[in-house]
Amino acid sequence: MTPPFLVLGIETSCDETAASIVRLAADGRAEVLSNVVASQVADHAPYGGVVPEVAARAHVELVEPVARRALAEAGTTLADVSGIAATAGPGLVGAVMVGLSFAKGLALAAGKPLVAVNHLEGHAVSARLEADVPYPFLLLLVSGGHCQLLDVAGVGACRRLGSTIDDAAGEAFDKIAKSLGLPYPGGPALERLAEGGDPDRYPLPRALLGRAGCDFSFSGLKTAAARMAEGATSPDARRDLAAAVQAAIARQLAERAERAMATYAAAHAADDAAQHEPQHLRFVVAGGVAANRAVRARLEATAAAHGFSFAAPPLRYCTDNAAMIALAGAERLALGLTHDLAVAARPRWPLDEAAALANPTHIPGRKGAKA
Ligand code: KG4
Ligand code: ZN
């Protein structure tokens, strides 16, 4: 399908019910016409984390009114959209099924093509919403469930350079915030607590320091911080520990991204030689943790030091939203990449399936392969 056209995006993979209308222009740029997010934070807060059954039930109640509002706010109707994109995984499978089944129903009733979108591909394109961030780029995807570095060559063409061997960065933020007695979701609460704190008061372990490759590990940091949190009872101590944790997470992200930048630049230098022209090196950070200002600042400085330009989505597109799903769907629709109604919801769906299968060390943990 040739742009310009409109796509309706639906996102229900975790605890946000979201719908959005995105217009893909003839020049490939995206314009967000509406971006509706109904957060279930209040439903899950009493449990200190997301309860899958509660999330699925809430999506059932919210998805239709949220989609209706996205159409109304964009001043459009279902008849005027060219396709319907919905997250088909990875995520809480009961939650994913709600949005995907809803999208299938709409596609069938309105006679529109369906695009089943990988949630991670949504995060990967999120910096391209309302900004000019062309392919290719080096991506650090950091959210509650994922922490990986990817070489993104184009639509659906990702090669994984590294990922976490235990927790995701957002998960580390959330768990450490919990040991500091902060409410769920922990990341933003920890960032607020850290304001004005001394990041050097508490020495935290530096995982994988000097180790080859671009993998991450946060479990040692989490354990050390939990132990320190028991002794950090005064307001000053809590603030300093939060600042130390935030700095330690930012530092690890930057150190591992630095390695990926070296690998990426070397690989692309070979491409440049073949094409006789130097390519622009771009570094993009996306996902919920990209909302953290200390993390962003540290990564921006790292990118600059290595000759990469830096891009991060505006805060509203860092955490889960449907605009990124609509854009990923629109880019696929433009290439004719659609799905039939039999497409299934997937709890696990790595962006780089070849790398995930080849390297089973990335499939440990309570929940199995997260990415
Ligand atoms: O992308 P996202 O909304 O959902 C997933 O796909 O996982 O990311 C949510 C994660 C949570 O772990 C949350 O604590 C973290 O992103 N997060 C933050 C901040 N805002 C969200 N972490 C640190 N600082 C923040 N400001
Ligand atoms: Zn996400």
Side-chain angles (χ1 to χ4, degrees):
M1 192 171 296
T2 313
F5 57 72
L6 302 180
V7 167
L8 166 64
I10 307 278
E11 155 64 35
T12 63
S13 67
C14 192
D15 60 342
E16 323 275 7
T17 315
S20 165
I21 301 287
V22 166
R23 180 175 179 275
L24 192 64
D27 64 1
R29 296 279 293 265
E31 187 189 351
V32 180
L33 303 188
S34 65
N35 179 36
V36 182
V37 182
S39 174
Q40 306 172 6
V41 163
D43 297 339
H44 300 281
Y47 306 97
V50 179
V51 183
E53 174 75 17
V54 172
R57 284 170 186 265
H59 288 309
V60 169
E61 279 176 30
L62 291 166
V63 70
E64 193 267 343
V66 163
R68 209 179 268 284
R69 232 180 87 200
L71 284 165
E73 285 184 13
T76 189
T77 63
L78 198 55
D80 294 323
V81 306
S82 295
I84 296 160
T87 300
L92 304 169
V93 76
V96 174
M97 278 165 65
V98 176
L100 182 61
S101 302
F102 178 74
K104 286 180 183 179
L106 289 186
L108 182 65
K112 306 284 179 179
L114 173 76
V115 186
V117 174
N118 183 313
H119 180 81
L120 305 178
E121 192 168 308
H123 280 299
V125 302
S126 61
R128 292 166 56 76
L129 287 162
E130 298 179 343
D132 187 18
V133 183
Y135 296 112
F137 50 80
L138 172 63
L139 172 72
L140 172 62
L141 175 52
V142 267
S143 68
H146 311 280
C147 188
Q148 47 190 291
L149 281 153
L150 295 151
D151 180 338
V152 184
V155 179
C158 291
R159 194 169 63 85
R160 196 173 65 184
L161 302 176
S163 69
T164 183
I165 57 173
D166 40 56
D167 290 339
E171 207 173 356
F173 265 114
D174 292 339
K175 289 178 179 169
I176 297 170
K178 203 169 182 176
S179 32
L180 279 163
L182 296 171
Y184 164 85
L190 192 141
E191 180 173 13
R192 280 192 297 277
L193 177 62
E195 247 164 72
D198 171 10
D200 298 320
R201 172 164 168 191
Y202 288 94
L204 287 162
R206 296 175 77 169
L208 305 176
L209 192 64
R211 188 164 127 175
C214 310
D215 288 340
F216 302 86
S217 168
F218 294 101
S219 67
L221 172 66
K222 183 184 66 185
T223 310
R227 214 170 36 237
M228 289 172 184
E230 287 168 18
T233 47
S234 75
D236 273 11
R238 285 164 50 76
R239 192 189 59 193
D240 292 346
L241 181 55
V245 165
Q246 183 172 267
I249 293 176
R251 181 176 59 201
Q252 190 186 144
L253 294 174
E255 282 171 356
R256 309 310 284 177
E258 213 160 28
R259 287 177 172 276
M261 285 175 195
T263 309
Y264 183 90
H268 286 263
D271 295 350
D272 292 353
Q275 290 165 14
H276 306 290
E277 61 178 300
Q279 284 182 44
H280 185 92
L281 296 171
R282 291 178 203 88
F283 178 71
V284 174
V285 57
V289 177
N292 185 283
R293 281 164 300 163
V295 167
R296 277 168 104 101
R298 179 104 196 206
L299 291 169
E300 186 164 6
T302 304
H306 290 80
F308 280 68
S309 66
F310 176 84
L315 296 189
R316 63 185 177 285
Y317 302 137
C318 284
T319 47
D320 288 348
N321 64 85
M324 67 184 194
I325 303 303
L327 175 55
E331 292 187 358
R332 284 185 166 264
L333 195 57
L335 297 174
L337 301 170
T338 60
H339 294 84
D340 66 38
L341 297 183
V343 64
R346 297 178 61 174
R348 318 247 175 270
W349 186 3
L351 263 187
D352 179 347
E353 289 193 273
L357 290 172
N359 191 350
T361 58
H362 291 292
I363 315 183
R366 196 163 45 88
K367 297 180 202 143
K370 291 165 185 161

